[in-house]
Amino acid sequence: MAEIQIKNVAKTFGAYQALHDINLTIADQEFMVLLGASGCGKTTLLRIIAGLETATTGEVWIGGRRVDHLAPKDRGIAMVFQNYAVFPHLTVFENIGFGLRMAKMPNAEVTRRVERVASLMHIEQLLKRYSGELSGGQRQRVAVARALAMEPDVILMDEPLSNLDALLRLEMRAELKGVLAESKTTAIYVTHDQVEAMSLADRISVMHQGKIVQAASPIEVYRNPAAHFVASFIGNPPMNFLRAEPAGSGKWKVAGETVDGPVSAATPLQLAIRPEDMRLADDGLKARVKLVEPLGAHLLVTCDVDGTMIRAVLDSDLTVKVGDVLTLAPQPDRVRWFDPQSTLAVA
Amino acid sequence: MNARLLPYVLILPVTVFLCIFFLYPFVLVAQQAFGSDTGWSLDNFRDVVSHWKFSISLWNTLLLAAVVVPVQLALSLLMATMVSKMKRGRDLVLYVWTIPLGISDLAAGIIWLAIFEQSGFLNSMMHGLGFIDAPMNFISYQNMTMVFIAIALAEIWRATAIMLVILVAGIGLIPKEYYEAAEVFGASPWKRFLKITLPLLRPSLQTALVLRVILAFEVFAVVAALGGTLFPVLMGETYSYQFDLSNSGAAAAIALIILAISIASTLVILRALRVPKGATI
Ligand SMILES: Nc1ncnc2c1ncn2[C@@H]1O[C@H](COP(=O)(O)OP(=O)(O)OP(=O)(O)O)[C@@H](O)[C@H]1O
Ligand SMILES: [Mg+2]
């Protein structure tokens, strides 16, 4: 059992507040992905959980035990560092076996485990090399293997696949997910790659400027972003936003058209819709085509709707030219609303 | 200028300087050492080595190095580790610790003589505290252990800092993340020192040890000040052949023997602490 609880954790570096009041519970055996832009505090949070950094305030609990005061080695964790930290003076074998040797594991067991994780990470032919003789991606896999070899309760991974080519990353991703599920490990996985986040996560925590903006399942984060930041950060091409003026009793004026919307609000809102949730229709927003990008499976069209640029993903066998005026209808059940003041979603 | 030639042109001044002031005297010394009335010969070496004082001075020199260098290595490692852990005031501490470096070795010997002399600080202190009734004569032929200890202490006091500064610089080059990784994977502070600091410090340890060992074989002024003729060392013999006995052939021979010992020990150190290819930071 290794549930992780982060309670009111904040961290300041001098005058700079890197983390604001973080509250997060990661269930036993859950695969949690921390997703956010560069500099938002992902590594800092991970280092606090690992015990390499002390939180300015707040508590960290692992497996029902408060661990703030414990040394990293007593927390039952293993970690993959963002900069790998593969020991240069040890061979790949000894790197992977480092933690096992520290735990005084018998030689045969060390060899067995090292060979197993090395083959998982496809680095079994590199075991005798030193880190200076490895590529960045190989080093990264050594770092992952070193953490896996520990068979820890909790594994913390800081962008562990960032340096691999697309194909290998896809493969490693699947391997990693399989191995961790099988070993019943609780995982926290940091990335800024949203595709990776979507494909791996049981839950995604989206971080922004030192706060967790939303923690939910990938589909929930995608379909029901809790804040403007989440909506704009997740999804490629990103979500479209259009200004909406209140027109009384649940009616909203968007680019000259009247749309059904929230009843509760009376100030201007933003209507948000994903590019793939727009349809060509007889009735809808008038959109002048500015750019047409055929993407094979789809047609990505950028158009001007009443002065705002939006994107729509359309059927690839449509013939659309720059300058055409399309009538685009947002799929009603996919429309979301945001308050530009609070930036939060409005129901 | 031709880019292939440029590097050679740039190192030319240094090369010329070294040739004039190092290589040329070296050749002269070698000539003296191997020369005799009848042309080339090993007579000088034979004379020097067969002299009764030679084996004593060789033994003394080696013994002193064997005692002093390991103590200094341990001390400087300890001090360097402590200094590197300091956040504030580390420069001040380093300055204080390196003060002995600024003192000439003869002065260092005299300082320690002032401590150990019959009328020295140590005697007055012990007398003042009532440990002894009358001043003792620490440094005399009846008390060779004490002579040795005094010389060793003076050497340790004088020259530990040179290793310290090299090791502090070396430790500063080891990225912090290796310690963090080791910590996460269960290494205690002592294990981190053994498994991370020491191996990653090998290049600095090489430099520090080579420098220190060579200096140890050349020990002279401290010994002269503290032990006089009680404790003959190789460098002292060189001096007395050259200036007391005016036998420059013999002096040159001993100098070459010291050089050979230095080169041999340097090779041993470089070999023992070599870093495998691909295993650098
Ligand atoms: N030791 C430190 N001292 C001062 N500021 C720090 C320190 N460590 C991190 N920060 C700051 O805290 C913020 C969060 O850093 P962090 O490394 O957690 O970002 P990140 O989300 O991991 O980014 P990336 O995706 O680029 O790795 C950054 O603005 C960074 O400058
Ligand atoms: Mg980071």
Side-chain angles (χ1 to χ4, degrees), chain B residues 53-77:
Chain B
K53 256 179 136 184
F54 177 80
S55 50
I56 299 176
S57 8
L58 178 64
W59 168 250
N60 282 346
T61 308
L62 294 180
L63 181 69
L64 192 61
V67 168
V68 166
V69 175
V71 171
Q72 289 187 318
L73 178 64
L75 266 180
S76 55
L77 272 171

Side-chain angles (χ1 to χ4, degrees), chain B residues 19-96:
Chain B
C19 285
I20 295 175
F21 292 100
F22 179 77
L23 205 55
Y24 179 62
F26 175 76
V27 169
L28 289 187
V29 168
Q31 257 176 8
Q32 280 184 328
F34 290 104
S36 74
D37 310 337
T38 58
W40 296 108
S41 83
L42 291 173
D43 289 351
N44 282 324
F45 289 91
R46 232 170 272 132
D47 288 352
V48 165
V49 170
S50 57
H51 193 271
W52 66 272
K53 256 179 136 184
F54 177 80
S55 50
I56 299 176
S57 8
L58 178 64
W59 168 250
N60 282 346
T61 308
L62 294 180
L63 181 69
L64 192 61
V67 168
V68 166
V69 175
V71 171
Q72 289 187 318
L73 178 64
L75 266 180
S76 55
L77 272 171
L78 180 70
M79 289 154 84
T81 318
M82 290 189 328
V83 167
S84 312
K85 290 243 159 62
M86 292 175 69
K87 291 209 169 60
R88 244 173 257 244
R90 97 181 231 172
D91 288 351
L92 184 72
V93 170
L94 261 185
Y95 287 140
V96 172

Side-chain angles (χ1 to χ4, degrees), chain A residues 47 72 86-89 99 130 132, chain B residues 178 180 183 195 199-200 276 278-280:
Chain A
R47 287 170 57 85
V86 171
F87 303 122
H89 58 292
Y130 288 101
Chain B
Y178 295 135
E180 294 183 342
E183 198 180 347
K195 300 282 176 187
L200 290 180
T280 42

Side-chain angles (χ1 to χ4, degrees), chain A residues 113-173:
Chain A
R113 287 213 201 175
V114 170
E115 280 170 358
R116 194 180 77 93
V117 293
S119 80
L120 271 177
M121 288 287 120
H122 301 320
I123 47 174
E124 59 270 56
Q125 73 286 4
L126 305 176
L127 287 175
K128 289 200 178 65
R129 294 220 207 150
Y130 288 101
S131 112
E133 303 164 319
L134 301 179
S135 74
Q138 291 170 333
R139 238 174 268 178
Q140 200 161 31
R141 282 180 279 160
V142 173
V144 176
R146 180 174 60 183
L148 289 179
M150 296 299 287
E151 299 178 5
D153 296 336
V154 173
I155 188 165
L156 308 173
M157 291 174 278
D158 201 344
E159 311 204 14
L161 306 179
S162 60
N163 241 321
L164 306 187
D165 64 69
L167 203 63
L168 192 56
R169 191 187 312 194
L170 213 65
E171 195 179 332
M172 294 284 120
R173 211 152 77 187

Side-chain angles (χ1 to χ4, degrees), chain A residues 13 16 18 36-45 53 82 158-159 192:
Chain A
F13 292 110
Y16 178 75
S38 185
C40 70
K42 307 180 296 288
T43 298
T44 307
L45 182 57
E53 203 88 69
Q82 187 167 9
D158 201 344
E159 311 204 14
H192 47 223

Side-chain angles (χ1 to χ4, degrees), chain A residues 11 13 43-56 60 62 67-75 77-85 146 156 158, chain B residues 87 176-187 192:
Chain A
K11 175 73 188 175
F13 292 110
T43 298
T44 307
L45 182 57
L46 216 59
R47 287 170 57 85
I48 288 175
I49 299 171
L52 294 170
E53 203 88 69
T54 34
T56 312
V60 178
I62 297 177
V67 297
D68 306 32
H69 56 284
L70 295 183
K73 68 182 167 66
D74 301 322
R75 297 185 178 203
I77 54 151
M79 183 161 175
V80 181
F81 289 80
Q82 187 167 9
N83 40 22
Y84 326 141
R146 180 174 60 183
L156 308 173
D158 201 344
Chain B
K87 291 209 169 60
K176 194 173 78 125
E177 68 226 39
Y178 295 135
Y179 290 102
E180 294 183 342
E183 198 180 347
V184 166
F185 288 98
R192 271 175 283 181

